[in-house]
Amino acid sequence: MHGGVDGISKKIRSTFDRGVSASDLDTRQSIYGVNRYAEKPSRSFWMFVWDALQDMTLIILMVCALISAVVGLASEGFPKGMYDGLGIILSILLVVMVTAISDYRQSLQFKELDNEKKKIFIHVTRDGSRQKISIYDLVVGDIVHLSIGDQVPADGLYIHGYSLLIDESSLSGESDPVYISQDKPFILAGTKVQDGSAKMMVTAVGMRTEWGRLMSTLSEGGEDETPLQVKLNGVATIIGKIGLVFATLTFVVLMVRFLIEKGLTVGLSRWYSTDALTIVNYFATAVTIIVVAVPEGLPLAVTLSLAFAMKKLMNDKALVRHLSACETMGSAGTICTDKTGTLTTNHMVVDKIWIAEVSKSVTGNNTLEDLNSVISPTTLGLLLQGIFENTSAEVVKEKDGAQNVLGTPTERAIFEFGLKLEGGHNAEDRACTKVKVEPFNSVKKKMAVLVSLPNGTYHWFSKGASEIIVQMCNMMVDADGNSVPLSEAQRKNILDTINSFASDALRTLCLAYKEVDNFDDDSDSPTSGFTLISIFGIKDPVRPGVKDAVKACMSAGIIVRMVTGDNINTAKAIAKECGILTDDGIAIEGPDFRSKSPEEMRDLIPKIRVMARSLPLDKHTLVTNLRGMFHEVVAVTGDGTNDAPALHEADIGLAMGIAGTEVAKESADVIVLDDNFTTIINVARWGRAVYINIQKFVQFQLTVNIVALVINFVSACITGSAPLTAVQLLWVNMIMDTLGALALATEPPNDDMMKRPPVRRGESFITKVMWRNIIGQSLYQLIVLGALMFGGERLLNIKGSDSKSVINTLIFNSFVFCQVFNEINSREMQKINVFRGMISNWIFIGIIAVTVIFQVVIIEFLGTFASTVPLSWQLWLVSVGLGSISLIVGAILKCIPVKSDENPSSPNGYVPLPSGPDNI
């Protein structure tokens, strides 16, 4: 009805060679819509406040506060009767606001990261020139260039291309890919290009695409909980149950004592409103003990730490797609990395060429004269034909008129060499038409093209991995351009040349051709009877900093394994240069590895450092065995579509941001935006920082929990009153949960983290070192607070009618300062010097300062709400002094050796005593 693809292009005013005009983009967007999917509105700040108010224990406390205020007003009148209830309400509001602000900021961060994930660029033809634009700027009528691994950005119609194979499983659920051709031209948004390349004309964008309609019926799910959050939720539940038992016991003991005293003094038949107030306050104290005991800060600390790490990594060129990857990366014991682009710069140039039995270095400017002197124009014409016809690179005109070569780095290197070589040669020499194209894929390791020549004959040109192409050849081109049979001696000479190129760390590729009279449309390119034209040696220098990064991995107990499709000699040369291939490591080829039995693999895998000529399936097998047989936490880098299974199988999949295809990025957990190996080490450093920061926080929090529970329970049993009131406990809860999480969970990584082995699977989260610190600090705090509670008045000579209030205030103040100094103590679990790097961590210093200022305000000015009295400067000194002694206690504890469960590398399992200037 519309006259096919041509008819539609006329109706939407777009041409196949020029695309659309940039001047009418706005008009097109207003008529056909924008290429964005409708997102559900983000949650407002007040929704987070509402969520924070849903906490059951806080609701019970609010009810207690209201009852307390009502009973207080009845018995003590206004305003005195309001203070207790109002104090609890204000404390709850403070806790709720801090939690809501923290959660809201995190949600904004995740939204920012989510937007970063969706930044995808695509090549289009507009105004007659090829350009790279964001998929959000696509309009109906745009001519889009699709290649292997791309995600189709909009609905469109196929114009022309080569063996385009589309994976529609995301839309149709059908796993079999679909061939697209002029007879079946419909290409849908959200599908993926599995093979081939094509040009497509956009016919629908955004919510008007099939994918957009499907998206409108779904809503995006949130992040799953990370493994560490699940682990810590378990810990939180157990601690919460212990808190519940203590709270119940405290309330029962207080009630029993109260009833006995009442029975002995005025009898149980007479009740006053003050009695009701006392019982309500007892209940509020018991509920507050539960609030303190339930460490809701644990999951918060994980999320905070991960969000902080994700933000920092974003600045360091790593985009974390799944929260858990950041944490898992800290435990990685093996990194299986690609070579090209990750360890090397991915900026390739042809360094050497072998043609007609002559090997030449071609880095200088006199390339043309040199080659011309040894080979005839016929041979040169054949070489140029092979270079320019059998390529996926193309020359495009930029907006400023300059010419630019687009394509993969290898293709660009050969194409640019061809352009340089072509110089004054007449392009008419290669006037021929492409008939059939087989794009490169990593299984066949070659690409081929069939061209028809003006004289009516056909040539197959094939280019790819040197040993594969050489195997297909039984002839070679001589200096005069004639095909001569390939003798065994010449074949050996060719293989020696390939090995000598490879030993110089050059990638080797061969180019060959075969003349045929006719061809079959359905059959693949032939696999024998070719004539070898040339061997290219392509230089891809190692990235600066990679050697140091590999060294850092070794000292961190992380083994780096190189898995590449390159020649084994090239791979070995580069692996040695990077420091990956050590004396005790071995290099193996993919076909060798595949043929091994499981028993042989068990012996072999620990020694493998380099796997060359590997298929994507070999990478998958290696990863599966490392995880299954050796229980390793494995990180894998990948860039091609075929790497997706290995990326998916690994604990952490790292996709390359520049060279990576959209399919690889979809399967990955982390996208390395600059394709640099050093960035991967940074992810590991931050992963370790996250794990250790949360351990520090758990150590800090468990200490506060134990002390708060024991002191209130013992005091209730012995004196019949709890020294820490509901308002005071809520303030301690906030120091401990929200502020503690902020302070300790945002510590940046230090170099020492990369000098210890990774945490293995199944290792207990709370280590013996942590238990030593928790028990030691708790004992010190309990002794100090117990001494103040039972002998404080006598020891400090405090007399007068308000001596009880002064002692209770002093206990509360000392308790808080013990936590402040214990927070500083928790910065290092094993090292004595806890101040290292503290000055540069302004978040930590800010939180300590805020805690101290608030504490002064609570004691000196908010006594009516917090049940405190102002203290003299001498008693302030006592509180701060008792708190600071916990630093000395911490240092002494760290000198006690502990049988370590986290340091298998020390010979007897003991953590060595701290030493060196850092610990004096």
Side-chain angles (χ1 to χ4, degrees):
M1 187 175 85
H2 292 293
V5 181
D6 290 332
I8 288 180
S9 76
K10 289 190 183 83
K11 289 184 180 181
I12 57 174
R13 291 177 56 193
S14 170
T15 60
F16 297 155
D17 53 345
R18 291 196 58 76
V20 299
S21 165
S23 56
D24 55 4
L25 294 182
D26 293 341
T27 320
R28 286 176 186 276
Q29 284 185 341
S30 61
I31 298 169
Y32 300 111
V34 183
N35 197 27
R36 282 179 185 271
Y37 301 124
E39 289 179 5
K40 55 177 188 181
S42 51
R43 305 179 69 210
S44 69
F45 171 68
W46 296 109
M47 289 172 88
F48 285 100
V49 173
W50 178 246
D51 280 356
L53 281 167
Q54 302 303 304
D55 190 320
M56 197 61 210
T57 45
L58 289 183
I59 293 170
I60 296 171
L61 268 182
M62 281 187 257
V63 174
C64 288
L66 287 173
I67 296 171
S68 172
V70 171
V71 176
L73 280 173
S75 60
E76 296 180 20
F78 184 83
K80 196 162 183 274
M82 288 286 288
Y83 289 150
D84 268 358
L86 201 59
I88 296 175
I89 293 276
L90 287 174
S91 304
I92 289 170
L93 285 178
L94 189 61
V95 170
V96 165
M97 289 312 278
V98 171
T99 309
I101 289 167
S102 161
D103 287 351
Y104 179 61
R105 281 193 55 223
Q106 255 167 258
S107 82
L108 291 180
Q109 252 185 27
F110 286 135
K111 196 169 172 58
E112 200 181 310
L113 285 164
D114 215 40
N115 291 338
E116 202 65 41
K117 280 185 214 173
K118 292 174 184 163
K119 280 187 185 168
I120 299 172
F121 289 88
I122 193 103
H123 285 278
V124 298
T125 299
R126 270 188 193 167
D127 290 329
S129 70
R130 184 157 163 175
Q131 307 168 18
K132 195 175 180 184
I133 62 161
S134 163
I135 55 166
Y136 295 138
D137 299 333
L138 270 187
V139 293
V140 168
D142 261 328
I143 306 298
V144 175
H145 300 259
L146 297 175
S147 54
I148 291 188
D150 281 347
Q151 189 163 349
V152 179
D155 285 2
L157 295 168
Y158 174 91
I159 301 167
H160 69 77
Y162 306 107
S163 34
L164 184 67
L165 195 59
I166 296 279
D167 170 11
E168 292 186 351
S169 56
S170 53
L171 267 179
S172 66
E174 291 295 326
S175 56
D176 288 344
V178 179
Y179 268 106
I180 304 290
S181 62
Q182 255 119 1
D183 308 327
K184 278 181 69 181
F186 301 101
I187 306 175
L188 300 175
T191 57
K192 298 179 178 83
V193 181
Q194 202 164 333
D195 204 355
S197 59
K199 275 186 180 181
M200 154 187 123
M201 182 172 67
V202 176
T203 54
V205 291
M207 295 307 284
R208 300 184 187 194
T209 62
E210 287 293 319
W211 183 252
R213 287 183 200 142
L214 182 68
M215 289 287 278
S216 63
T217 62
L218 303 170
S219 65
E220 192 84 8
E223 276 277 354
D224 288 341
E225 285 199 319
T226 75
L228 194 53
Q229 277 174 321
V230 174
K231 216 181 219 180
L232 290 182
N233 281 342
V235 174
T237 310
I238 293 165
I239 298 171
K241 285 176 182 169
I242 295 168
L244 187 63
V245 171
F246 267 90
T248 312
L249 286 173
T250 307
F251 181 66
V252 169
V253 169
L254 288 171
M255 278 304 294
V256 168
R257 284 192 66 119
F258 170 73
L259 292 172
I260 290 170
E261 279 175 23
K262 188 171 175 61
L264 293 173
T265 49
V266 293
L268 293 174
S269 54
R270 294 168 125 189
W271 289 84
Y272 306 102
S273 57
T274 50
D275 294 340
L277 190 62
T278 307
I279 291 170
V280 168
N281 282 345
Y282 284 166
F283 187 66
T285 303
V287 173
T288 314
I289 287 176
I290 298 174
V291 173
V292 173
V294 173
E296 63 272 22
L298 283 182
L300 170 77
V302 180
T303 320
L304 261 176
S305 194
L306 289 170
F308 183 71
M310 281 170 90
K311 184 91 177 139
K312 291 289 183 190
L313 282 169
M314 190 67 235
N315 300 338
D316 290 346
K317 297 278 184 267
L319 169 62
V320 180
R321 291 183 76 248
H322 302 129
L323 254 187
S324 55
C326 204
E327 157 202 315
T328 319
M329 191 66 195
S331 305
T334 291
I335 298 176
C336 295
T337 173
D338 282 347
K339 176 181 74 68
T340 310
T342 311
L343 299 171
T344 58
T345 57
N346 216 9
H347 183 75
M348 303 194 188
V349 285
V350 175
D351 187 71
K352 287 182 178 173
I353 184 171
W354 175 98
I355 187 165
E357 295 197 87
V358 178
S359 186
K360 283 275 177 203
S361 177
V362 291
T363 42
N365 295 326
N366 50 358
T367 313
L368 195 63
E369 294 79 19
D370 270 7
L371 273 178
N372 268 342
S373 62
V374 289
I375 56 174
S376 68
T378 320
T379 311
L380 193 59
L382 203 55
L383 173 66
L384 291 173
Q385 210 174 46
I387 289 174
F388 292 122
E389 294 305 330
N390 188 18
T391 183
S392 60
E394 59 177 310
V395 180
V396 292
K397 272 198 169 68
E398 298 291 330
K399 285 180 184 171
D400 56 7
Q403 285 196 335
N404 191 14
V405 179
L406 290 179
T408 64
T410 314
E411 290 291 314
R412 268 176 35 208
I414 293 176
F415 201 89
E416 282 165 357
F417 170 70
L419 288 174
K420 194 161 69 166
L421 199 59
E422 188 181 40
H425 273 261
N426 192 349
E428 296 305 311
D429 289 350
R430 46 189 185 84
C432 39
T433 323
K434 284 187 191 180
V435 179
K436 194 173 177 187
V437 174
E438 282 182 11
F440 178 83
N441 79 41
S442 58
V443 178
K444 292 179 182 170
K445 298 201 182 299
K446 65 184 176 74
M447 62 191 293
V449 60
L450 178 68
V451 296
S452 77
L453 303 174
N455 62 8
T457 58
Y458 295 97
H459 272 180
W460 271 108
F461 284 104
S462 194
K463 176 178 76 190
S466 37
E467 49 269 47
I468 288 170
I469 301 291
V470 170
Q471 243 173 0
M472 291 164 34
C473 295
N474 56 8
M475 315 269 276
M476 59 172 270
V477 176
D478 67 6
D480 300 324
N482 303 318
S483 293
V484 294
L486 201 56
S487 69
E488 276 310 308
Q490 283 168 323
R491 190 180 288 275
K492 185 181 178 302
N493 183 22
I494 288 166
L495 292 173
D496 288 345
T497 305
I498 291 168
N499 287 337
S500 78
F501 280 14
S503 303
D504 292 341
L506 300 180
R507 297 191 73 178
T508 59
L509 283 183
C510 286
L511 179 62
Y513 84 101
K514 180 177 184 176
E515 197 169 314
V516 289
D517 297 327
N518 52 22
F519 67 95
D520 179 5
D521 263 337
D522 299 326
S523 64
D524 286 346
S525 62
T527 54
S528 62
F530 274 81
T531 303
L532 183 66
I533 302 172
S534 67
I535 304 167
F536 297 105
I538 299 170
K539 194 176 184 63
D540 187 9
V542 170
R543 275 181 186 272
V546 163
K547 198 169 180 179
D548 294 338
V550 171
K551 206 170 173 186
C553 278
M554 302 282 191
S555 61
I558 302 170
I559 295 170
V560 183
R561 293 179 162 92
M562 182 205 283
V563 184
T564 177
D566 250 349
N567 177 301
I568 191 158
N569 292 327
T570 311
K572 277 159 83 171
I574 287 187
K576 278 180 182 156
E577 195 179 333
C578 298
I580 292 173
L581 188 56
T582 49
D583 297 338
D584 55 347
I586 59 167
I588 190 170
E589 288 192 320
D592 268 1
F593 177 71
R594 280 196 291 283
S595 62
K596 302 288 182 197
S597 67
E599 286 71 33
E600 287 174 309
M601 278 194 181
R602 187 181 287 279
D603 297 334
L604 190 68
I605 287 175
K607 298 178 199 155
I608 292 177
R609 293 293 177 273
V610 175
M611 196 191 290
R613 284 287 173 244
S614 65
L615 295 179
L617 198 65
D618 300 331
K619 198 187 240 184
H620 186 263
T621 309
L622 180 66
V623 171
T624 313
N625 285 329
L626 279 167
R627 292 187 71 218
M629 278 184 196
F630 300 97
H631 306 294
E632 287 273 4
V633 177
V634 184
V636 167
T637 72
D639 50 17
T641 310
N642 298 303
D643 289 326
L647 288 171
H648 198 72
E649 173 65 27
D651 296 279
I652 312 101
L654 301 144
M656 298 298 128
I658 301 167
T661 60
E662 285 312 314
V663 177
K665 290 178 194 175
E666 283 286 306
S667 305
D669 304 296
V670 179
I671 298 172
V672 182
L673 297 174
D674 60 355
D675 289 16
N676 195 340
F677 187 75
T678 316
T679 306
I680 298 169
I681 306 304
N682 225 0
V683 179
R685 277 181 54 150
W686 273 102
R688 288 191 177 194
V690 165
Y691 193 86
I692 291 166
N693 285 349
I694 294 161
Q695 281 187 320
K696 291 175 189 173
F697 174 67
V698 168
Q699 177 184 301
F700 167 67
Q701 192 171 39
L702 286 180
T703 309
V704 191
N705 271 0
I706 291 169
V707 177
L709 292 179
V710 172
I711 206 80
N712 263 14
F713 176 65
V714 170
S715 174
C717 292
I718 296 171
T719 65
S721 67
L724 300 171
T725 65
V727 173
Q728 292 169 1
L729 282 172
L730 279 170
W731 167 232
V732 169
N733 182 56
M734 209 174 82
I735 296 175
M736 202 170 81
D737 273 354
T738 316
L739 295 178
L742 259 174
L744 291 168
T746 53
E747 284 265 322
N750 57 47
D751 292 336
D752 284 346
M753 288 176 184
M754 295 305 277
K755 288 177 185 161
R756 54 206 290 181
V759 178
R760 296 186 70 79
R761 283 185 206 276
E763 212 163 280
S764 66
F765 181 74
I766 303 176
T767 62
K768 289 173 183 166
V769 169
M770 288 166 72
W771 278 122
R772 173 195 69 188
N773 297 344
I774 291 166
I775 293 165
Q777 285 291 347
S778 301
L779 281 173
Y780 165 70
Q781 290 185 25
L782 287 170
I783 290 164
V784 165
L785 299 177
L788 287 177
M789 197 188 309
F790 299 114
E793 292 175 49
R794 195 176 68 256
L795 285 169
L796 298 168
N797 198 20
I798 296 169
K799 297 185 174 71
S801 56
D802 64 345
S803 64
K804 187 78 184 143
S805 301
V806 172
I807 278 294
N808 277 351
T809 304
L810 183 63
I811 288 171
F812 168 55
N813 204 26
S814 303
F815 180 54
V816 168
F817 275 99
C818 277
Q819 306 328 318
V820 168
F821 284 101
N822 191 26
E823 204 164 334
I824 297 171
N825 234 333
S826 297
R827 290 187 71 243
E828 285 286 356
M829 288 188 284
Q830 294 191 33
K831 283 212 162 60
I832 292 171
N833 180 8
V834 291
F835 297 104
R836 187 180 65 165
M838 191 165 110
I839 306 300
S840 56
N841 189 352
W842 59 269
I843 298 181
F844 188 88
I845 289 178
I847 284 168
I848 295 288
V850 165
T851 309
V852 171
I853 292 164
F854 257 90
Q855 182 65 11
V856 171
V857 169
I858 286 169
I859 291 205
E860 297 298 324
F861 306 107
L862 297 177
T864 41
F865 295 114
S867 313
T868 57
V869 293
L871 295 176
S872 64
W873 66 268
Q874 292 95 332
L875 290 179
W876 271 100
L877 274 180
V878 169
S879 296
V880 176
L882 289 171
S884 61
I885 290 171
S886 67
L887 289 176
I888 299 167
V889 172
I892 294 166
L893 287 170
K894 285 164 192 171
C895 288
I896 301 169
V898 175
K899 181 86 172 165
S900 169
D901 47 6
E902 63 163 25
N903 197 356
S905 62
S906 59
N908 53 5
Y910 281 91
V911 173
L913 284 178
S915 63
D918 195 35
N919 289 311
I920 291 171

